[in-house]
């Protein structure tokens, strides 16, 4: 079951904050965040496990609410380098591979 | 570390032709994934190998697609015959044992079928 991300796109100026949401209709045991810059490959940012959060990258953090089956990615004081498409992923039923959401495109301008 | 290596980076072919995409995972990684990315469908998992064995190929669109991993350092994704709707960026990714959530992606192959 593919996670659902919102919003689809965000436009920011440098220094502004943003929140990207990821939700699932099935139970989430972990949530995985990746970022893909234009023309490049996706890069792992962080994983959130049951009930916890793990800050993995720059000023980017995330939370995970397993009861609500959703996660949010927080980008604080955004920089130009934050621009890209952010994907959340959840493990497939077998727990062996990731199913990614359709992504949220973040554009940061100066 | 060289990272995941994919070739070719770009491929343009005519409908009906056979296309072979290649991937060399990071040394020491025992899981390998093939993804397809399009604007419409996003990033789709096609097939997943663990220790060179295909574990989940439920994402392979149809029989025209096949993937092999003859050894720990090489995998291929073949499309025969290719169709225009196969046009996409194909990524290969690999991960350490037990860390399938932290995948290292290759640069991708942009396939255009005319």
């Amino acid at each position: 079951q593919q996670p659902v991300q919102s919003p689809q796109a965000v436009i920011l100026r440098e220094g502004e904050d943003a929140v990207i949401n990821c939700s699932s209709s099935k139970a989430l045991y972990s949530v995985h965040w990746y970022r893909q810059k234009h023309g490049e490959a996706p890069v792992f940012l962080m994983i959130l496990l049951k009930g916890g959060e793990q800050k993995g990258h720059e000023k980017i953090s995330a939370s995970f609410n397993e009861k609500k089956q959703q996660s949010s990615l927080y980008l604080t004081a955004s920089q130009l380098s934050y621009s890209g498409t952010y994907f959340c992923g959840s493990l497939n039923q077998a727990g062996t591979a990731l199913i990614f959401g359709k992504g949220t495109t973040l554009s940061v301008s100066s | 570390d060289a990272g995941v290596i994919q070739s070719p980076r770009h491929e343009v072919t005519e409908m009906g032709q056979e296309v072979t995409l290649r991937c060399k995972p990071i040394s020491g990684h025992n899981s390998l994934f093939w993804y397809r990315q399009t604007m419409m469908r996003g990033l789709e998992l096609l097939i997943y190998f663990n220790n060179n064995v295909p574990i989940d190929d439920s994402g392979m669109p149809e029989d025209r697609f096949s993937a092999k991993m003859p050894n720990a350092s090489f995998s291929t994704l073949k499309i025969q015959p290719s169709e225009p709707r196969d046009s996409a960026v194909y990524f290969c990714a690999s991960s350490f044992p037990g860390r399938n959530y932290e995948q290292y992606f290759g640069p991708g192959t942009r396939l255009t079928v005319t």
Side-chain angles (χ1 to χ4, degrees):
Chain A
Q1 200 90 20
Q2 186 177 43
V4 176
Q5 291 185 235
S6 64
Q8 283 189 309
V10 183
I11 298 174
L12 296 175
R13 290 204 176 264
E14 269 187 301
E16 292 181 337
D17 301 340
V19 180
I20 299 172
N21 300 303
C22 173
S23 64
S24 174
S25 59
K26 70 174 185 69
L28 284 174
Y29 300 101
S30 60
V31 177
H32 316 260
W33 288 96
Y34 282 71
R35 177 172 68 198
Q36 182 179 28
K37 297 194 175 183
H38 183 67
E40 299 181 8
V43 174
F44 173 76
L45 291 178
M46 66 182 78
I47 177 176
L48 295 99
L49 302 173
K50 287 175 70 171
E53 73 173 52
Q54 181 172 328
K55 184 180 292 186
H57 218 262
E58 300 167 350
K59 292 182 183 177
I60 300 172
S61 63
S63 64
F64 177 30
N65 186 324
E66 60 209 85
K67 281 189 179 177
K68 292 186 178 179
Q69 297 172 186
Q70 58 186 216
S71 173
S72 295
L73 187 71
Y74 306 96
L75 299 104
T76 306
S78 58
Q79 305 168 17
L80 294 176
S81 62
Y82 286 8
S83 293
T85 300
Y86 290 78
F87 293 95
C88 70
S90 62
L91 288 175
N92 62 1
Q93 202 161 1
T96 53
L98 287 176
I99 308 298
F100 287 98
K102 290 200 171 179
T104 295
T105 299
L106 178 71
S107 300
V108 182
S109 61
S110 56
Chain B
D1 197 329
V4 176
I5 298 172
Q6 290 187 247
S7 65
R9 295 293 308 276
H10 300 272
E11 176 80 38
V12 180
T13 191
E14 291 184 349
M15 183 174 65
Q17 296 297 306
E18 177 179 297
V19 175
T20 300
L21 311 181
R22 297 171 176 80
C23 174
K24 176 179 169 54
I26 293 173
S27 177
H29 286 193
N30 72 336
S31 294
L32 184 138
F33 309 83
W34 281 101
Y35 291 91
R36 177 173 66 178
Q37 186 174 39
T38 60
M39 288 294 291
M40 288 296 293
R41 301 173 69 93
L43 196 59
E44 300 175 276
L45 176 66
L46 298 178
I47 188 168
Y48 155 56
F49 290 89
N50 185 254
N51 293 323
N52 313 336
V53 176
I55 302 299
D56 183 353
D57 64 355
S58 58
M60 296 287 263
E62 43 196 279
D63 292 345
R64 298 185 297 106
F65 285 70
S66 62
K68 293 182 180 179
M69 192 164 185
N71 57 61
S73 58
F74 184 65
S75 176
T76 59
L77 178 68
K78 185 178 292 187
I79 308 172
Q80 164 65 15
S82 58
E83 297 182 2
R85 60 193 169 115
D86 301 331
S87 297
V89 179
Y90 291 81
F91 287 104
C92 172
S94 67
S95 64
F96 282 112
R99 293 174 68 90
N100 281 358
Y101 56 84
E102 186 174 353
Q103 300 176 19
Y104 293 77
F105 282 73
T109 295
R110 181 172 296 277
L111 173 65
T112 303
V113 184
T114 60

